[in-house]
Amino acid sequence: MEKKKPKLSWPCWYYDKADLKKTPSLADGVPAETEARYRREGPRFIFDMGTRLGLHHDTIATAIVFFHRFYMFHSFKLFPRHITATCCLFLAGKVEETPKKCKDLIKVARG
């Protein structure tokens, strides 16, 4: 008897409007308007930090994607957006091979 291979399932990173109406933040009581504002402010913060650090646009864009993906699984109520944005930029720097030191990221984030 031949063994059946399990079917691999890749995560889908494309979200439709129905997915955006049932995010963890909304389930946690964050109003939709507030979540939308946070989703604008986070990338703006990442862009400003990345620009001040002299990072490539690819790195900044990767960090923004990480930021939005993270908040599709976690709530803005539980994870502060500025800390998450800084972490996303740190990780994106490693992924895109343009790393920055933590102390430099923290210095720019506070400034």
Side-chain angles (χ1 to χ4, degrees), residues 15-23 26 32 35 39 72:
Y15 300 102
D16 57 16
K17 288 183 180 183
D19 294 328
L20 295 173
K21 289 182 181 177
K22 53 184 179 181
T23 63
L26 293 174
E35 182 178 4
R39 284 185 178 273
M72 286 304 291

Side-chain angles (χ1 to χ4, degrees), residues 1 6 8-9 16 23 29 31 37-39 43-44 48 53 63 67 69-70 77 82 86 88 92 97 102 106 110:
M1 189 188 267
L8 292 177
S9 173
D16 57 16
T23 63
R37 186 176 46 124
Y38 288 171
R39 284 185 178 273
R44 190 175 303 126
D48 291 344
L53 287 164
F67 180 85
R69 287 181 181 177
F70 180 83
K77 201 178 238 185
H82 292 100
T86 305
C88 288
E97 297 183 4
C102 284
I106 293 168
R110 287 185 175 171

Side-chain angles (χ1 to χ4, degrees), residues 8 68 73:
L8 292 177
H68 284 302
F73 295 94

Side-chain angles (χ1 to χ4, degrees), residues 12-111:
C12 179
W13 296 113
Y14 298 105
Y15 300 102
D16 57 16
K17 288 183 180 183
D19 294 328
L20 295 173
K21 289 182 181 177
K22 53 184 179 181
T23 63
S25 298
L26 293 174
D28 217 6
V30 177
E33 300 80 29
T34 303
E35 182 178 4
R37 186 176 46 124
Y38 288 171
R39 284 185 178 273
R40 287 188 308 270
E41 289 174 356
R44 190 175 303 126
F45 182 73
I46 290 169
F47 185 82
D48 291 344
M49 276 187 61
T51 302
R52 283 188 269 157
L53 287 164
L55 291 170
H56 297 266
H57 290 292
D58 292 351
T59 305
I60 294 169
T62 300
I64 291 170
V65 170
F66 288 166
F67 180 85
H68 284 302
R69 287 181 181 177
F70 180 83
Y71 285 112
M72 286 304 291
F73 295 94
H74 303 283
S75 174
F76 279 103
K77 201 178 238 185
L78 299 175
F79 295 92
R81 64 192 179 280
H82 292 100
I83 293 171
T84 303
T86 305
C87 293
C88 288
L89 198 55
F90 175 77
L91 181 60
K94 291 195 167 287
V95 169
E96 295 293 336
E97 297 183 4
T98 55
K100 293 293 178 185
K101 292 182 179 179
C102 284
K103 67 178 184 175
D104 296 334
L105 285 162
I106 293 168
K107 194 183 299 183
V108 171
R110 287 185 175 171

